[in-house]
Amino acid sequence: MYLLITFFAAIIATIVWYVQMPKDPYKVSTLSFMYWGASLMWLVDGFFCIAEGEPFLEMSFKDALLGFTAVICGLIAWMTILLVKGDKINFFYK
């Protein structure tokens, strides 16, 4: 489940990045790369689960919670990067 959640977050971030492609004022590319990296990590984890005889995907509340936590942590890291770099200090005041 966490693989699907981070995969969909990566797709959404990539679409937003391509829409803002020439300028990318909010560095959505960084967020997109974080989500793709998390998706790749969960994909490798799924392959190891198959090698150990476990199912590739588990659909449980705990796995969904882990996926949403990864997405929220990615958002917090991305916003921290934006605030520390100070490029767009008026991020909240448009």
Side-chain angles (χ1 to χ4, degrees):
M1 189 71 166
Y2 44 81
L3 173 64
L4 294 177
I5 292 171
T6 53
F7 185 73
F8 285 127
I11 290 173
I12 291 170
T14 302
I15 290 171
V16 171
W17 176 36
Y18 274 118
V19 168
Q20 299 179 350
M21 188 66 155
K23 294 181 181 178
D24 195 17
Y26 298 115
K27 308 293 183 200
V28 181
S29 60
T30 304
L31 181 66
S32 176
F33 287 133
M34 281 193 269
Y35 287 153
W36 281 115
S39 298
L40 182 63
M41 179 183 68
W42 299 131
L43 187 66
V44 170
D45 183 56
F47 288 135
F48 275 99
C49 286
I50 290 174
E52 294 176 355
E54 298 175 8
F56 184 75
L57 288 176
E58 289 187 26
M59 300 292 180
S60 68
F61 177 73
K62 285 183 177 180
D63 288 343
L65 190 61
L66 179 61
F68 286 120
T69 302
V71 169
I72 290 171
C73 286
L75 280 174
I76 291 172
W78 173 65
M79 290 179 74
T80 303
I81 290 171
L82 283 180
L83 291 175
V84 168
K85 287 185 82 173
D87 291 342
K88 297 292 175 190
I89 200 70
N90 57 359
F91 181 71
F92 299 105
Y93 306 106
K94 258 203 155 180

